[in-house]
Amino acid sequence: MTQNSKKSHILPNKTKIDHYIIDSHIGHDSNGEIYTVYDERHEGPWAMKVEMKNNKKHSLTEEIQCLQILRGSPMFPEYICNGETNELKYFIMELLGPPILLIRRSLPDLRFTQLTVTIMAKEMLKCIEELHKRGYIHRNIKPGHFLIRPNRQNPVVLIDFSSSRRYTDIKTGNLLPPRPNPGFSGSCSFSSMYAHEGKELGRRDDIFSWIFTVIQMVDKRLPWPGHKDPEKT
């Protein structure tokens, strides 16, 4: 997220958006801010993602479409509704957490045990596989995009579909042809070599990013510097 949007787009607590009231700001991605909210009847809490209409980039509409297709699976947050005002667009979803990233950072030696990593890695891979079965690739797999749900059957949930893209035709199910110059997509440290080369991404690239995520969970860091500059990485 840009420095400017961080300064100007974080809404204060108690801000009312339609019939939802912001309780606290809990995070952000490249295109939006995420808040804990209640409604006017004090029902909730839910998570609200907000995208300002004056942002340079817009992905909320596509993310809503993705979440609607993912409905019914416990491996993704439950989509509830969406709306807009004169200044912004938003959607409401299930409140989950904390992220695996924050859990790791809270550990004394900043790493999980191998048994924990094995269990969590398998659950993360199940989420990615289910996303692929629904016709989407994530294109930004990393530790911060996996949250914990208090459920033994499905304890890990994949979030943030602002970079996601269909890789199959919605009518035929056939693979979509690669675009000639799609550009870079993802997080620099966790992206595949194909992403850094600006090539069209596919299911394999989500798996590469999953492998890099698992490496960090075990070793505390990746074997390359975590720069935002693809060349340095």
Side-chain angles (χ1 to χ4, degrees), residues 126-225:
K126 286 165 61 177
C127 294
I128 297 170
E129 181 183 24
E130 181 64 22
L131 180 68
H132 292 171
K133 287 180 178 178
R134 304 283 182 116
Y136 277 88
I137 51 175
H138 193 275
R139 303 201 304 168
N140 198 10
I141 295 291
K142 61 181 181 179
H145 288 163
F146 290 97
L147 304 184
I148 298 300
R149 173 189 276 131
N151 182 306
R152 286 183 176 271
Q153 297 299 317
N154 300 101
V156 176
V157 179
L158 177 60
I159 66 163
D160 195 340
F161 306 98
S162 56
S163 299
S164 298
R165 184 174 186 270
R166 285 202 68 90
Y167 73 95
T168 60
D169 186 281
I170 197 167
K171 294 181 179 179
T172 66
N174 296 331
L175 292 176
L176 294 171
R179 296 168 294 174
N181 297 295
F184 179 80
S185 179
S187 296
C188 203
S189 296
F190 294 93
S191 293
S192 71
M193 284 298 297
Y194 298 101
H196 284 287
E197 292 170 359
K199 295 180 179 178
E200 186 71 273
L201 304 186
R203 288 168 288 181
R204 67 181 178 189
D205 300 284
D206 281 350
I207 303 305
F208 276 123
S209 297
W210 167 76
I211 292 170
F212 301 157
T213 295
V214 174
I215 290 172
Q216 191 199 58
M217 291 169 66
V218 174
D219 292 338
K220 297 195 293 187
R221 60 180 62 87
L222 291 167
W224 45 83

Side-chain angles (χ1 to χ4, degrees), residues 1-2 6 38 61 79 84 86 103 178 194 206 210 219 224:
M1 192 166 195
T2 64
K6 281 185 179 180
Y38 292 85
T61 300
Y79 166 80
E84 65 179 285
N86 291 334
I103 296 175
Y194 298 101
D206 281 350
W210 167 76
D219 292 338
W224 45 83

Side-chain angles (χ1 to χ4, degrees), residues 100-107 110 112 216-217 220:
I100 287 175
L101 174 66
L102 292 184
I103 296 175
R104 184 186 67 81
R105 287 177 176 173
S106 70
L107 299 175
L110 301 179
F112 296 99
Q216 191 199 58
M217 291 169 66
K220 297 195 293 187

